[in-house]
Amino acid sequence: MSKEIISVKNLKYVYKSPTGDKVALDDVNLKINAGEFVAIIGTNGSGKSTLAKHFNALLIPTEGKIFVDGADTSDEKNFLRIRQNVGMVFQNPDNEIVAAIVEDDVAFGPENLGAAPEEIRRRVDSALEVVNMSEYKKFSPAKLSGGQKQRIAIAGVLAMRTKIIVFDEPTAMLDPQGRREILNTVKKLHAEGLTIIYITHFPEEAAQAEKIIVMDAGKIIDAGTPEKIFSDAKKIRRLGLEIPAAVELANRLRRKGFKLPEKILTGEELAKSLTNLKRI
Ligand code: ADP
Ligand code: MG
């Protein structure tokens, strides 16, 4: 039985300003199970980052409630516990890296939590191993590529031992190589049992999740498996979003009479189906 770890109930969030209020989230309802890998897609300004900041109580609902592992995020007494449960990885790794040496940077979180030195060492070593960056532990982060820096930022979160990691467009500033590194790391963390919430505007990345949530103008307008969400290409495009290239190509081939299986999301799946076709 999967256990619910995040529950969002009738969430409304309003940015208040002298020049006028902005409703950024409106009646958002959502449940995420422990160990789930959920992607969130939506055009710029649809409310994805605002929602992400609610998961670790950086923002508090204007109306409605969020519970993280049972703790109400609007109750100040729960802030520490919530932040120990939910790590965040943002778009620009340069804004997240604080130390001049990789291993010191990764140690920063557990040090702040007051962990013992041997415990910190263990956590830093294992976090760097998970993101495949052990050999860089004495390096200066400034010397690393964008993908490597982002993996150091992820290691910093892992060293805090959070159960949930929220990624807010972590690959937006990376080249294709860096994007692959991050996605592979995220898939590995998911396989190890972490709960992953992954905001992206790359449909190929969203297709790797177990479930996709679609946001538009502050609301969740659709949710389901990648197959379901990307099956209606017209609807996705109408929202200003893209479907994965492999899904698009498979749809075209089907229209030309190719008998392809229903579940094709990646280039590899498409290639495999096409090779199988030839053999028949
Ligand atoms: P996304 O991450 O999907 O691009 P955001 O959550 O950043 O969307 O923004 C949702 C809406 O809230 C947008 O209309 C945006 O302009 C507005 N918004 C975001 N941050 C602020 C802020 N600090 N003050 C006022 N409005 C904001
Ligand atoms: Mg955003």
Side-chain angles (χ1 to χ4, degrees), residues 97-172:
I97 287 168
V98 291
I101 305 284
V102 163
E103 61 180 355
D104 295 346
D105 191 81
V106 179
F108 185 77
E111 265 165 9
N112 275 343
L113 291 178
E118 325 76 76
E119 170 68 9
I120 293 174
R121 170 113 320 272
R122 259 199 308 276
R123 288 190 187 195
V124 169
D125 287 347
S126 95
L128 283 171
E129 210 156 287
V130 171
V131 302
N132 220 357
M133 287 294 288
S134 299
E135 58 190 294
Y136 295 93
K137 66 179 172 189
K138 302 286 182 197
F139 274 55
S140 153
K143 295 234 163 64
L144 304 177
S145 72
Q148 290 173 327
K149 281 186 208 169
Q150 198 59 300
R151 282 187 283 150
I152 296 305
I154 296 172
V157 170
L158 291 174
M160 307 271 283
R161 298 280 156 95
T162 64
K163 289 191 256 181
I164 304 164
I165 305 186
V166 181
F167 294 85
D168 191 353
E169 304 205 33
T171 61

Side-chain angles (χ1 to χ4, degrees), residues 15 22 24 43-50:
Y15 287 102
K22 166 78 199 170
T43 48
N44 277 341
S46 57
K48 305 180 298 298
S49 294
T50 304

Side-chain angles (χ1 to χ4, degrees), residues 8 11-15 22-26 28 40 45-62 66 88 90 166 168 199 215 218:
V8 178
L11 166 63
K12 181 173 185 173
Y13 187 77
V14 183
Y15 287 102
K22 166 78 199 170
V23 179
L25 294 173
D26 190 16
V28 168
I40 304 180
S46 57
K48 305 180 298 298
S49 294
T50 304
L51 179 60
K53 287 175 190 152
H54 277 82
F55 294 133
N56 78 337
L58 278 176
L59 292 176
I60 304 302
T62 307
I66 300 185
M88 306 280 283
F90 295 101
V166 181
D168 191 353
I199 299 172
M215 293 192 67

Side-chain angles (χ1 to χ4, degrees), residues 18 22 51 65 69 112 171 180 238 248 280:
K22 166 78 199 170
L51 179 60
K65 287 271 180 211
D69 208 11
N112 275 343
T171 61
R180 271 193 301 276
R238 228 181 292 127
E248 167 77 41
I280 299 168

Side-chain angles (χ1 to χ4, degrees), residues 58-78:
L58 278 176
L59 292 176
I60 304 302
T62 307
E63 282 173 31
K65 287 271 180 211
I66 300 185
F67 296 91
V68 175
D69 208 11
D72 182 345
T73 66
S74 49
D75 185 344
E76 225 172 287
K77 288 197 292 294
N78 294 330

